[in-house]
Amino acid sequence: MSITLLSRAGCAACVGARADLERICADFGETVEVIDVDAAADAGDRSLRAEFGDRLPVILLDGEEHGYWEVDEPRLRADLTARAARHDA
């Protein structure tokens, strides 16, 4: 299971989303990967900024968009629980 936060420097909403994600994911023994879309673009990968740059922060769960602008904690917890149950089965 992978949880990724797409963000950018100076984004207050991104800081809040990161704190929420780290708190929630810790309950599941998971870590959050944080990708700065501007830094990625500067390094040559402009695709993330082109697709997601106007609605950051964006939360990706297993590479698929789960939400943006804020963390929907009940939904995220439900999805993480379901994925963990499938993994344990």
Side-chain angles (χ1 to χ4, degrees), residues 12-57:
C14 297
V15 171
R18 182 176 186 167
D20 289 343
L21 285 175
E22 288 177 345
R23 176 180 47 80
I24 295 164
C25 291
D27 291 345
F28 291 85
E30 299 291 335
T31 59
V32 178
E33 176 186 14
V34 179
I35 298 175
D36 182 311
V37 298
D38 296 323
D42 290 346
D45 181 0
R46 293 178 178 86
S47 64
L48 292 174
R49 184 168 64 190
E51 184 170 352
F52 301 107
D54 62 341
R55 54 194 162 109
L56 296 174

Side-chain angles (χ1 to χ4, degrees), residues 1-8 11-25 30-37 48 51-80 83:
M1 184 164 27
S2 68
I3 301 97
T4 306
L5 174 65
L6 303 178
S7 69
R8 69 172 25 113
C11 170
C14 297
V15 171
R18 182 176 186 167
D20 289 343
L21 285 175
E22 288 177 345
R23 176 180 47 80
I24 295 164
C25 291
E30 299 291 335
T31 59
V32 178
E33 176 186 14
V34 179
I35 298 175
D36 182 311
V37 298
L48 292 174
E51 184 170 352
F52 301 107
D54 62 341
R55 54 194 162 109
L56 296 174
V58 173
I59 298 98
L60 304 178
L61 184 56
D62 292 334
E64 295 183 18
E65 186 174 335
H66 188 270
Y68 59 95
W69 290 335
E70 60 186 29
V71 178
D72 182 341
E73 185 167 346
R75 181 171 162 244
L76 180 59
R77 284 187 179 279
D79 290 344
L80 291 173
R83 288 173 193 247

